[in-house]
Amino acid sequence: MSQYGVDYLRRLRAAVEKFEEAFNAWMSTQVESDHMSARGLFPTVWTKEGQDQNEVQRLELGVAEAAGLAASAVSVSGAYIAIAGIGVIDPISNWSFMAAPKAPIAPRDIRTTTANVKGRLDAMIVDAESRTDSELPTFAPAQFHPVVWAGASAHWTMHQYRVAVREAAEGLTVHWKERLGRNDVDDTVFWQQTLSPGAPEPGKPKLNWPGASDDKTVRSMRGGLEPLGKALNALATGLNLTVRNVTTHTRTELSEQEAMERLGAYSYFARLLDRCETASAEVEDSDQ
């Protein structure tokens, strides 16, 4: 089900239609080729003879402006195309590549992608309208913890949910390893040492639940600090073993729902970590 609002999706579809109109107007001034004719060495479009260059430039700028308005359409719909030797590419944002030597895309790629995007947006609009009509609560993965979503977002929009979860897990661990200077241990050991109860050892800082001793509520929280630390430790270790390692060692794709549930666990864990304080052991001066 779509995570975007109906109004946003409709505006985005209108932007794609505006891009399509501007693109077709500009293409009327161009000679159209394809990869076979260009032999992989030449542009797939070039200006027709006898064209008014000022008019061609005006139309070209119109395409550039319209592409900017529709820039989010491919990422929202996931309608990327794969180019051998390059990877995935957004044809709408990169339409100007057609006029470059060794052009990776052709006019046909732009047209088929534009049609694909409009179809996907139509489907997302239907989903969003159904969601509104049912008044069911909605969940947007982009609202997850920033560190978690930063690792997952690029793969999520391409519907590679297993990889998205793996990258989110690794990203969160790398984030805290770098903050605490703990690149000397494996991930599972890092979480076990960082969230275990007791005083920190030199070179092994810990994360503790915060609190001021003169506050009644905080004193109550302090009473549960050790079991909370154990719970955080168990959560970190459990996520690392049952989610991250499993997604790393299997090729089975996750459904969007399964992936969102796993990212939700990491997002909750990340927000708990943000509320913790860092405790470090003082290093004694060997000269004293």
Side-chain angles (χ1 to χ4, degrees), residues 100-117:
K102 298 184 180 180
I105 55 178
R108 180 178 181 276
D109 298 318
I110 306 295
R111 295 192 181 97
T112 55
T113 298
T114 301
N116 191 3
V117 167

Side-chain angles (χ1 to χ4, degrees), residues 65-86:
E65 181 179 353
L69 288 173
S72 301
V74 171
S75 63
V76 167
S77 63
Y80 294 92
I81 64 172
I83 306 294
I86 296 178

